[in-house]
Amino acid sequence: MRLSQTFIKTLREAPKDETAKNGALLTRAGYIHKEMAGVYDYLPLGLRVINNLENIIRDELNKLGCEEVLMSALQNAEIWEKTGRFSDQEVDIWFKTELSGGGILGLAPTHEEPMVNMMRKYVTSYKDLPFSVYQFQNKFRNELRAKSGILRGREFLMKDLYSFHTQEEDLDKFYTKVEEAYARIFERVGLGDSTYKTFASGGIFSKFSHEYQTLLPVGEDTVYYNADKSLVLNKEVFEDEVLKEFGADRADFTEDTGAEVGNIFKLKFKYSEPLGLKFVDEDNKQQTVYMGCYGIGVSRLMGVIAEKYADEKGLVWPEMVAPFKYYLVGIGEAGLKRAEELYTGHEDEILFDDRDLRVGEKFADAELMGIPYRVVISDKTLGAGSAEVTERLTGETSLVKIEKLFN
Ligand code: ATP
Ligand code: MG
């Protein structure tokens, strides 16, 4: 991508209506544009980060044999009435809208009901099970507070995965596989050291559900961990009764704040029962399908990474999620010419700053945008057949032979 040709512009100052660090930095660096509180557009750089996150998640889920779909945001009230979740008393964050011919629709805040309802058309026998289905889809939630940038949106991108089984043991096995996949996902996006599987309430099947919490000063959740962080509990389950179950002592725990980047539930029959998702077993008996569901907040994840790695100069993307690996600057006539040549054929990994700007301004943007490696080619470096490569994370600079670049 050539910076001379893009419409995006970086901003020197933080926007006045943005109090969250992630929102301010991502806006200044040209990754997102705010439509209104809790509603954001993803610009070319921001979309590349989202796509990278999606691809890492997709890769790990496809390895488990999960199938990708894309379901509608518009929802039929009737389906949700079967579980009682269309009621504003039950679910207080609905966006609802009217059909022109009369009748009310909702904008999906999640997809358990339509997913289960859809599967009634495809599941009849034990031979159809097990399987698992996921999507990357925009959810709509009329959140009371939306002041955390992309950490809490009224429209946000979620990965939601649902699994369908004939038996409890099969659900258990799959659940464990998802746990392993989630550990790899958070590792690959650069949050392996700071993200913990925590015990949370709301388990239908077992007593607990699990959340994935990234320790973060601005995280909205309170978590408690023991000395080696081998046991992390959410606030709502941090009680004497639960601690006793784990053989743990309240005094050994430290309180901290976290951002929930994902969660996993053994749903058992919670949705398959009321919506009538059944199968016929080997003995020709009707049984209810066992289910699990597994979420990751993809746009929140981007915000968490932005917050976590930022420094006073701007964003700092881990290589695996960065929109581009290199930020290329040519200085002087020969440097510019050589940079042009090197850019050709590597357009997908190089953000080429070919703008007619002072070098200082280019360097400031390279830092603000958080591209992992800044590559500078000047008459001076060319004299040594090299380019000067600076790592964004450490600030370390080294000379790299031109033929070793971009391979
Ligand atoms: P929270 O407690 O933060 O409101 P939740 O329990 O409502 O989250 P789920 O309904 O389980 O979340 O959604 C799955 C994932 O989607 C969450 O783990 C989180 O990462 C993300 N998520 C939930 N609400 C939002 C939101 N308003 N904006 C961005 N991401 C969200
Ligand atoms: Mg919520």
Side-chain angles (χ1 to χ4, degrees):
M1 180 169 148
R2 285 176 185 274
L3 279 176
S4 67
Q5 283 171 17
T6 173
F7 69 89
I8 57 169
K9 284 197 173 65
T10 55
L11 308 170
R12 288 279 158 262
E13 305 284 323
K16 296 228 156 35
D17 61 344
E18 196 64 76
T19 48
K21 178 164 82 176
N22 73 85
L25 274 177
L26 290 166
T27 304
R28 279 187 57 206
Y31 283 70
I32 60 173
H33 167 258
K34 188 177 191 168
E35 284 287 336
M36 61 190 99
V39 183
Y40 292 88
D41 307 306
Y42 290 80
L43 306 181
L45 293 176
L47 184 59
R48 287 180 74 103
V49 175
I50 290 285
N51 287 340
N52 289 341
L53 292 173
E54 280 191 6
N55 285 335
I56 290 169
I57 297 169
R58 186 176 280 124
D59 181 52
E60 292 295 342
L61 296 186
N62 288 352
K63 277 189 216 158
L64 302 189
C66 310
E67 292 179 272
E68 185 171 356
V69 297
L70 179 58
M71 296 186 75
S72 74
L74 284 176
Q75 295 294 312
N76 187 337
E78 271 168 43
I79 296 170
W80 293 78
E81 273 153 7
K82 293 194 176 138
T83 59
R85 288 214 296 176
F86 202 65
S87 138
D88 294 317
Q89 279 73 51
E90 259 329 288
V91 174
D92 60 4
I93 44 77
W94 272 108
F95 280 108
K96 292 179 180 174
T97 185
E98 263 167 63
L99 263 178
S100 58
I104 291 193
L105 297 181
L107 288 166
T110 177
H111 273 83
E112 283 82 5
E113 280 83 348
M115 177 61 82
V116 174
N117 183 61
M118 177 170 89
M119 288 311 170
R120 293 191 326 145
K121 294 239 170 65
Y122 302 99
V123 176
T124 49
S125 146
Y126 69 94
K127 290 180 193 154
D128 301 325
L129 296 159
F131 65 94
S132 54
V133 175
Y134 71 99
Q135 61 177 345
F136 294 97
Q137 208 267 358
N138 270 9
K139 309 296 184 206
F140 297 84
R141 294 186 185 182
N142 199 349
E143 302 275 5
L144 192 59
R145 287 170 304 144
K147 292 186 183 147
S148 308
I150 60 170
L151 296 184
R152 183 170 296 283
R154 295 200 164 106
E155 177 178 351
F156 64 95
L157 183 62
M158 193 200 285
K159 182 283 296 172
D160 42 330
L161 163 69
Y162 307 85
S163 69
F164 303 83
H165 314 265
T166 56
Q167 295 169 24
E168 176 178 345
E169 298 76 56
D170 196 49
L171 168 57
D172 285 344
K173 256 196 262 164
F174 186 77
Y175 194 86
T176 305
K177 280 195 188 161
V178 175
E179 288 178 337
E180 290 160 4
Y182 270 36
R184 288 193 295 269
I185 289 166
F186 294 121
E187 182 68 41
R188 286 177 67 178
V189 303
L191 296 177
D193 294 342
S194 53
T195 303
Y196 295 89
K197 191 182 87 179
T198 68
F199 289 88
S201 68
I204 307 298
F205 204 0
S206 59
K207 184 162 170 189
F208 302 105
S209 70
H210 294 104
E211 288 182 356
Y212 288 80
Q213 292 277 352
T214 306
L215 300 183
L216 191 71
V218 298
E220 291 179 12
D221 296 335
T222 303
V223 296
Y224 295 85
Y225 48 75
N226 61 0
D228 62 358
K229 298 201 182 80
S230 57
L231 182 59
V232 191
L233 301 175
N234 278 23
K235 190 175 186 170
E236 76 252 18
V237 299
F238 190 66
E239 316 169 332
D240 291 334
E241 195 194 319
V242 174
L243 288 168
K244 214 164 94 192
E245 226 174 285
F246 286 107
D249 191 337
R250 186 172 277 269
D252 300 335
F253 285 80
T254 306
E255 186 182 294
D256 207 341
T257 53
E260 182 194 321
V261 287
N263 57 17
I264 54 179
F265 289 91
K266 290 181 184 176
L267 293 170
K268 195 179 178 182
F269 305 138
K270 184 174 183 190
Y271 299 99
S272 46
E273 173 73 57
L275 286 154
L277 181 62
K278 310 240 188 244
F279 67 98
V280 176
D281 71 11
E282 278 137 305
D283 303 321
N284 228 4
K285 279 217 293 275
Q286 277 245 313
Q287 306 274 7
T288 304
V289 174
Y290 284 83
M291 283 186 64
C293 75
Y294 319 82
I296 291 180
V298 182
S299 46
R300 178 179 290 179
L301 191 56
M302 173 172 165
V304 166
I305 299 167
E307 290 266 345
K308 191 107 210 151
Y309 282 92
D311 63 17
E312 67 290 342
K313 291 171 182 160
L315 297 161
V316 185
W317 295 109
E319 216 174 293
M320 293 288 278
V321 302
F324 291 93
K325 187 171 172 186
Y326 304 104
Y327 191 102
L328 178 61
V329 178
I331 301 175
E333 205 176 317
L336 266 170
K337 185 161 168 279
R338 197 75 182 96
E340 274 286 348
E341 289 163 7
L342 286 164
Y343 173 65
T344 310
H346 296 279
E347 293 84 354
D348 205 45
E349 52 177 346
I350 298 176
L351 184 55
F352 184 21
D353 197 346
D354 59 341
R355 295 173 299 179
D356 189 15
L357 284 181
R358 286 185 297 116
V359 172
E361 288 177 80
K362 295 187 180 188
F363 285 7
D365 275 350
E367 285 172 329
L368 177 60
M369 289 178 182
I371 308 302
Y373 299 98
R374 188 187 73 198
V375 179
V376 179
I377 300 175
S378 66
D379 299 358
K380 200 172 83 197
T381 67
L382 278 176
S386 300
E388 186 192 84
V389 179
T390 306
E391 193 182 355
R392 175 67 178 91
L393 184 64
T394 59
E396 277 166 23
T397 293
S398 55
L399 279 180
V400 176
K401 289 282 174 214
I402 296 276
E403 45 309 343
K404 292 241 168 88
L405 288 169
F406 314 131
N407 292 315

